[in-house]
Amino acid sequence: MSARMGDPGKSVYLHVGAPTAEAAFLHRALWSNRRRLGDAGVCYPVTGPQEHFAAVMDLREMSWGGHRDPAWDGAWDRVVRRARDWDGPTVVFSQPLLGGATEQQVERAVSALERPRCTWSSPPATWAGS
């Protein structure tokens, strides 16, 4: 089965977790198992273990510690391109800083993904600050 973005059969999970050791564990687990996930039809669309951070910095147009790394420019679009090009049925992306996205940034994120079935996932502990 081939599922392209915009295809109602493709699901994208945008996970927003609190910036904790658990989030770091999840990122390491996703990165370490990306080939196994791919074999199971799940795309983790980053090419390096820190690209999820760069992509969110780009999406949210943020600096970190007063610094804006030029390498972040276009990182969100690169991740989205890989997600859209994925032939499998599922894409997963996780980054705690998605939790601070504005309504416009969320709209940009989902629109860039060509509006697949998109699930914005956040654990209840994250809601406490909302």
Side-chain angles (χ1 to χ4, degrees):
M1 177 176 116
S2 177
R4 289 288 193 195
M5 288 305 196
D7 178 338
K10 185 166 223 160
S11 295
V12 176
Y13 296 91
L14 298 174
H15 174 257
V16 181
T20 64
E22 290 85 5
F25 171 80
L26 177 60
H27 296 150
R28 283 191 307 275
L30 288 167
W31 177 252
S32 296
N33 291 290
R34 65 194 180 284
R35 286 186 183 89
R36 194 174 295 156
L37 288 165
D39 290 344
V42 178
C43 175
Y44 181 51
V46 298
T47 59
Q50 294 300 315
E51 190 179 25
H52 60 277
F53 177 79
V56 172
M57 292 291 100
D58 181 42
L59 174 69
R60 295 191 53 205
E61 300 174 339
M62 290 178 63
S63 62
W64 192 260
H67 174 72
R68 171 101 182 138
D69 188 333
W72 297 342
D73 295 339
W76 178 255
D77 293 332
R78 289 188 294 274
V79 166
V80 166
R81 190 174 319 113
R82 286 190 291 276
R84 284 193 302 220
D85 289 347
W86 180 248
D87 284 332
T90 307
V91 175
V92 63
F93 183 84
S94 175
Q95 201 346 289
L97 294 173
L98 281 171
T102 65
E103 186 175 332
Q104 292 80 18
Q105 291 164 341
V106 170
E107 178 63 30
R108 177 180 169 221
V110 174
S111 292
L113 292 165
E114 297 178 1
R115 300 189 182 278
R117 272 193 325 231
C118 191
T119 302
W120 192 276
S121 171
S122 176
T126 307
W127 303 338
S130 301

